[in-house]
Every structure is written in C-alpha cells, then in structure tokens.
C-alpha cells in the first residue's frame, strides 16, 4: 500500500468529496436514489469531524464524517479505485481514535446494505435493522463500534495522521 495520510477535511474538499459520493459504484442501480444530487457541503465539513484519506500525490482515496453529538458515523466512502487496499480499514481505525478522543464509548452506523460486511470486518457488531422510510426503500443494517475494547494492534498506526 502506498503512503496514505489522513487529515481533517476543509471546505475546499467539498467538490472532491461530493464527486466521490456521487461516483460510487456501490450506489448504482436501485441505490442511486441515495446519492442523486447529494452534496458534501463546505458548512457540513466545517461543522463536523470529516477526515479525508489522501495518497502521496494528494488524490482523495476516501473519507468519513462523524456526528459527535449523535455518536454516529454519518458518511464513509472509499473511492472505487482504492477499495481492497486497506484505505477503509485505516479510515475506520482513525474514526475510532477521533471518537475515543471526543469521549465517546460507542459509534452507531446505519449502513448501506452492501457495506455491512466491511463494517463487521473492521470491528462493528450488528445491533439491529432500520426499517425503510422516505427515499430509502430498503431496510438497512444497524451496527455499533464498541470503543471500550482495545484497538487492533496489527493496524499500522504510522499510516494515520493524529486524531484531531
């Protein structure tokens, strides 16, 4: 895996993050309604802990957004070209560190159904199902990261920026 840096996103990242969301292959077909017209706005980025993974050339590989008051992972996307390379695992480890530093003991995830296995592999556990409603015409898995359990020591901490 090439060098990946995780840093706090800024409003200037808005267009790149929006393109990543709208271009995600995971949201084609029946799931397209979820990202149609979606925008990761500058105000959203400035208000919430949004962190972006970039490669040595500054290309955006993925990002996540954490809602601290709700203790919920709101967004998590990895570029199609960066999937399977460990980027998502690094982002979730970083998210857990940021959440712990903020005093959270758990983080809720309402997952895109095809992403459930990813969250399970990165340490979340299934806690329920969120019923279809509104624009979402399918049930979604609800998961939780328990932040009271120790982190995976095999994760390369040097690949992560500090959790601020």
């Amino acid at each position: 895996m090439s060098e990946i840096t995780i840093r706090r996103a800024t409003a200037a990242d808005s267009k790149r993050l929006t393109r990543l969301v709208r271009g995600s292959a995971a949201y084609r077909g029946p799931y397209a309604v979820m990202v149609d017209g979606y925008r990761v706005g500058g105000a959203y980025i400035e208000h919430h802990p949004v962190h972006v993974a970039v490669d040595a050339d500054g290309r955006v590989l993925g990002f996540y957004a954490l809602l601290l008051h709700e203790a919920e992972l709101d967004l998590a996307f990895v570029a199609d070209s960066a999937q399977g390379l460990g980027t998502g695992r690094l982002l979730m480890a970083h998210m857990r560190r940021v959440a712990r530093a903020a005093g959270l003991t758990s983080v809720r995830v309402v997952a895109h159904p095809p992403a459930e296995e990813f969250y399970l592999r990165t340490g979340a556990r299934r806690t329920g199902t969120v019923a279809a409603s509104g624009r979402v015409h399918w049930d979604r898995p609800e998961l939780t990261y328990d932040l009271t359990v120790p982190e995976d020591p095999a994760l390369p901490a040097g690949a992560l920026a500090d959790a601020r």
Side-chain angles (χ1 to χ4, degrees), residues 52-68:
V52 60
V54 296
D55 67 11
D57 295 323
R59 285 186 295 255
V60 172
L61 303 175
F63 76 98
Y64 73 86
L66 182 62
L67 304 179
L68 292 176

Side-chain angles (χ1 to χ4, degrees), residues 72-90:
E72 185 168 346
L73 181 66
D74 190 36
L75 298 169
F77 282 84
V78 173
D80 294 342
S81 63
Q83 292 190 11
L85 304 176
T87 304
R89 182 172 289 280
L90 289 173

Side-chain angles (χ1 to χ4, degrees), residues 79-110:
D80 294 342
S81 63
Q83 292 190 11
L85 304 176
T87 304
R89 182 172 289 280
L90 289 173
L91 284 166
M92 291 303 97
H94 189 274
M95 180 276 299
R96 290 191 306 268
R97 289 178 185 149
V98 168
R100 279 188 187 102
L104 301 180
T105 58
S106 66
V107 172
R108 178 180 184 241
V109 179
V110 177

Side-chain angles (χ1 to χ4, degrees), residues 13-159:
D13 292 311
S14 175
K15 288 182 182 177
R16 294 193 304 171
L17 301 186
T18 296
R19 275 194 304 271
L20 196 156
V21 169
R22 289 183 185 176
S24 174
Y27 284 87
R28 293 194 182 124
Y31 297 118
V33 67
M34 291 303 301
V35 297
D36 184 41
Y38 194 88
R39 182 172 176 270
V40 183
Y44 177 90
I45 292 169
E46 296 294 331
H47 183 71
H48 299 290
V50 178
H51 288 83
V52 60
V54 296
D55 67 11
D57 295 323
R59 285 186 295 255
V60 172
L61 303 175
F63 76 98
Y64 73 86
L66 182 62
L67 304 179
L68 292 176
H69 293 294
E70 295 85 355
E72 185 168 346
L73 181 66
D74 190 36
L75 298 169
F77 282 84
V78 173
D80 294 342
S81 63
Q83 292 190 11
L85 304 176
T87 304
R89 182 172 289 280
L90 289 173
L91 284 166
M92 291 303 97
H94 189 274
M95 180 276 299
R96 290 191 306 268
R97 289 178 185 149
V98 168
R100 279 188 187 102
L104 301 180
T105 58
S106 66
V107 172
R108 178 180 184 241
V109 179
V110 177
H112 178 49
E116 180 179 12
E117 284 302 315
F118 164 76
Y119 290 115
L120 292 170
R121 284 192 315 270
T122 59
R125 65 180 168 76
R126 179 82 183 252
T127 55
T129 301
V130 175
S133 67
R135 289 176 41 169
V136 181
H137 304 290
W138 53 88
D139 294 344
R140 293 171 291 161
E142 180 179 38
L143 303 104
T144 300
Y145 284 102
D146 180 356
L147 304 179
T148 64
V149 298
E151 282 192 52
D152 180 357
L155 188 68

